[in-house]
Structures are given as structure tokens and as C-alpha cells.
Amino acid sequence: MALLGYLIANWGLVPLKRLSLEAHALSPRMLSQRLVTAQLPAELSDLTQSFNGALDRLEAAYQRWRVSTPT
């Protein structure tokens, strides 16, 4: 029974582990990179969309800063 519980819990955490790997792969060198929201449970999809929205705002702010900063 414990093994079955472990397997079910481990299987349930697969989407979260995938998101974690994607988040670790984010880089300032690729400002347009976003987390993939396809095939996620609703709870994680909402969180991922919010995170991607924050990345959009950061990218826009950086672009505005680059334009306004003399080289």
C-alpha cells in the first residue's frame, strides 16, 4: 500500500517537476522564453500563466530601459 501511495504521489508531481526544470532553464540571454502551459492541471496552469505574465512585464521594462539608456 505504501508503494502504491508513493507511485501515485510521484506521478502526480511530474508536471511540477517539469515546470521546475523549465524555470531553471530560463536565462537572461533569451528574454522571450516562457514556461509551457500545455497539458498542465488547472492549478499549475494559472500559476504558470501568472509567472509568464511577470516575465512579459520584466521583458517590456528591460526593453524600455534599453531604449532610454544612451550607449
Side-chain angles (χ1 to χ4, degrees):
M1 209 40 133
L3 178 61
L4 181 61
Y6 171 79
L7 292 174
I8 291 171
N10 199 28
W11 176 75
L13 291 174
V14 168
L16 190 57
K17 290 177 184 179
R18 191 189 86 215
L19 277 178
S20 179
L21 289 172
E22 286 182 36
H24 282 285
L26 293 173
S27 167
R29 294 183 183 130
M30 296 181 64
L31 293 177
S32 62
Q33 189 176 6
R34 299 294 181 265
L35 298 176
V36 178
T37 59
Q39 299 178 351
L40 289 175
E43 301 83 6
L44 290 179
S45 180
D46 290 345
L47 176 64
T48 303
Q49 289 174 2
S50 295
F51 189 79
N52 284 343
L55 290 174
D56 289 338
R57 292 186 296 278
L58 283 171
E59 180 181 8
Y62 179 73
Q63 295 300 335
R64 284 191 304 272
W65 175 79
R66 283 190 60 197
V67 169
S68 67
T69 304
T71 50

